[in-house]
Amino acid sequence: MYHVKKECVAMILAGGQGSRLYALTQDMAKPAVPYGGKYRLIDFPLSNCVNSGFDTVGILTQYQPLVLNEYIGNGHPWGLDRVHGGVHVLAPYESASGKSWYTGTANAIYQNISFIDRYNPDFVAILAGDHIYKMDYSKMLQAHKQNKADATIAVLEVPWHEASRFGIMTADENGVITEFAEKPKEPKSNLASMGVYIYSWQTLKRYLIANENDKDAKKDFGGNIIPDMLKDGCKMIAYHFNGYWKDVGTIDSLWEANMDLLNPNIPLDLHDHNWRVYARNPVMPPHYAGENSFIENSMIAEGCNIEGRVDFSVLFAGVTIEKGATVRDSIIMPNTVIKSNAVIEYALVGEGCVIGENVRVGERPEAIEDKESWGVAVIGHGIDIAPNEVIKPKAMISENK
Amino acid sequence: MAIMSNNMLGLIFANLHDETVPDLTKKRTMGSVPFGARYRLIDFPLSNMVNSGITTVGVITKSNYQSLLDHLGSGDEWDLSRKTGGLGLLPPYGQVGGGLYRGRLEALHGVENYISSSNAEYVLMTDCNVIVNMDFNHILEYHIEKEADITIVYGRGNYTAAQMRTKTAFGFDPDGRINDVLIYPNKEGEFDTSMNMYILKRDFLMDLITETASRNLYSFEVDIIQHRREEYKIYGYKYNGYYEQIDGFLSYFAANMALMSVERRSILFPQRRPIYTKVRDEAPAKYGIESDVCNSLVADGCVIEGKVENCVLFRGVKIGKGAMVKNCILMQDTEIGEKCEMNYVITDKNVLVGSYRSLFGTEDYPVFVGKGANV
């Protein structure tokens, strides 16, 4: 088949397990984790691609890909069902040389060199599939071209005390990266890599092949590709990003990222018609706020039926809150039912759960003396909690109770 | 569903009944009248057809159809973007001799080629003024069982004289065959009235179209159902389920408000037979710190910071701080300023109501604010 040349192909790394989200990532990869009332994490990089004019996207999957595959489908919700290009889910495969599982981020791209080469691109964007942010990659690509760079890495200024959690770039006054350190104990800079890279494809390809042939090398970007390129004097540029960006690696950060949507001071506006975040839309009627409902400072998706009290919470599509139930400071994922008089506080409740009558899930931090034992309570997908049960703060429930 | 559903060709008349809600159809067809916070009226017949296994649907339009075309697109939201069949948009002047029609028969004559190119055995025709979730296979089964020439779906109800001015009522023999037809009878009482859904054989319909065109007959109701009820076996299929029929502004208002009932919503929007509509990619609705909402339907994209009671809020509606909105239907992207007071108001799309304004209608005479108005 004839393939139209594309200037830039985007590759989204979506194989991550997200093991620290344990109960929520038992059956799905981290990029498929629900967020913000109607999205899954991957909607953000995908929508960024579309809004940036990138119409050729490869999604690299590995861990529990079923939910993600089904969700992406033919890419129609993102306008990525194209005649030329479009979205392609790229699972690891067995080839004549016997290679199979992706052994690292660089190896995943290496194994899909032939996919990228079909479009004969000048540039490749490598993107994480599980970060929440709105970013115009086309501006970054423009900067990459103007700088005649080999690699452009998006960076974010983080508080110094958090810098040791990130891949840290040191750059000179022209933005040229001079040093890179993965999670340094004593960071020399507070410019953190966002996991958004643009490479000149032929250069990257050379390094990917060399990396693959080096038996001792780590097969990921942070471990070897970036340090090797730096060592060889490649032109690598730090591209500053100032907007909202969140990596939701932990339960706390996933909870926080949802709560950020309710905070008018946080610059992540999902209602912005000039930069829509696309998602596969559920087919459901509008949500209904009942006669006795009380809803304040919350985000509510379509298909919900609310007869109870909802405060500082995010409700996904098709959630039912029965009479007398209270949901506070919590995130309730699609099609979950909260039965009457149940109280949910500081909790993440997965998809398709049934929380029985009078159940108590979580607790406000103020109500607890031993702050060490406090945390957001998590109920995994499809879990039923019997009436009158008490689920403690910080609990992680992955079996029916 | 045992029946060979693909034996049916669906035809939807998007412009019929426009005159019953002239304010709402000034710039659109009856089929594209917004309803229920996120739908257009045509979503109901269209989704019912798709859920009944019909995969070829023609939409017949006459005028003002730009919003309809925009809504339907290629039909993919209804799963009707297909290699064979799928959605067919049939505007006037679409074939030689076609033009602005005077009635249903003439409209059918204008799309004769579309109907003849189908190989379906039956044709199911519906209008857009009925809100219902219905499996058309039951009607087809009944039609076949009665060996009818035409089967018409009807419902029974109590109506005022004014309502009956827009309805067709039937009388039946003991077998259910229609033996009396009253068109727009203008008297109050309990009637069996047409839901404007018909099933008949495609060959039979083709013959009817050709023959009536040559005699310059154009009304299906008058020239066929009324005048030929003795010649043809015309049966009524009684629909006992819940439905709403729009016959004027008040019934449009009431049909929207009827959705506040959990039971009715579960009948109209069951999980297994969803009503599809165009996707708008809006974020979930956002409730502000001082919002107070009860007994209301809210679509995605709304931002609510005021008080809302007994309202239907379409996608992207914004309610300012301190506003008090009661018994209103606010269509897409309406913005209500701070401290506004509104009661019994219907706003069309993109209406802007400035801060501190008050608008009051009454239960029997809701105020209507036209598309794009700036109050």
Side-chain angles (χ1 to χ4, degrees), chain A residues 33 68 109 150 170 213 245 262 330 353 384-385 388 398:
Chain A
V33 167
L68 198 58
I109 305 294
D150 295 306
T170 312
N213 291 336
W245 178 87
L262 307 178
S330 294
C353 297
D384 291 353
I385 306 289
N388 305 315
S398 54

Side-chain angles (χ1 to χ4, degrees), chain A residues 37-104:
Chain A
K38 72 180 286 193
Y39 309 96
R40 293 184 189 268
L41 296 179
I42 194 146
D43 288 328
F44 287 83
L46 261 185
S47 300
N48 285 341
C49 282
V50 175
N51 289 331
S52 305
F54 292 5
D55 66 1
T56 305
V57 181
I59 298 182
L60 300 142
T61 62
Q62 178 146 294
Y63 172 81
Q64 290 285 13
L66 177 65
V67 174
L68 198 58
N69 287 350
E70 189 185 52
Y71 186 69
I72 300 299
N74 66 351
H76 179 72
W78 302 268
L80 286 173
D81 50 337
R82 318 298 317 170
V83 174
H84 299 292
V87 67
H88 300 263
V89 174
L90 305 168
Y93 57 91
E94 198 169 2
S95 66
S97 55
K99 294 190 181 72
S100 178
W101 296 111
Y102 298 148
T103 53

Side-chain angles (χ1 to χ4, degrees), chain B residues 209-261:
Chain B
I209 294 170
T210 328
E211 186 252 336
T212 51
S214 66
R215 292 177 200 275
N216 195 26
L217 303 174
Y218 55 84
S219 168
F220 194 74
E221 287 80 355
V222 175
D223 298 318
I224 305 295
I225 308 297
Q226 197 167 46
H227 291 166
R228 297 188 181 175
R229 63 180 166 73
E230 284 173 3
E231 188 182 338
Y232 301 138
K233 288 173 74 181
I234 306 177
Y235 274 79
Y237 173 92
K238 186 171 182 187
Y239 183 69
N240 290 311
Y242 168 70
Y243 73 98
E244 298 277 351
Q245 191 158 10
I246 312 289
D247 53 33
F249 204 57
L250 283 179
S251 73
Y252 171 79
F253 188 79
N256 273 283
M257 291 302 168
L259 294 177
M260 301 303 170
S261 145

Side-chain angles (χ1 to χ4, degrees), chain A residues 44 49 108 194 220-221 289 366 386-387:
Chain A
F44 287 83
C49 282
M194 295 164 58
D220 58 58
F221 282 90
E366 305 92 275

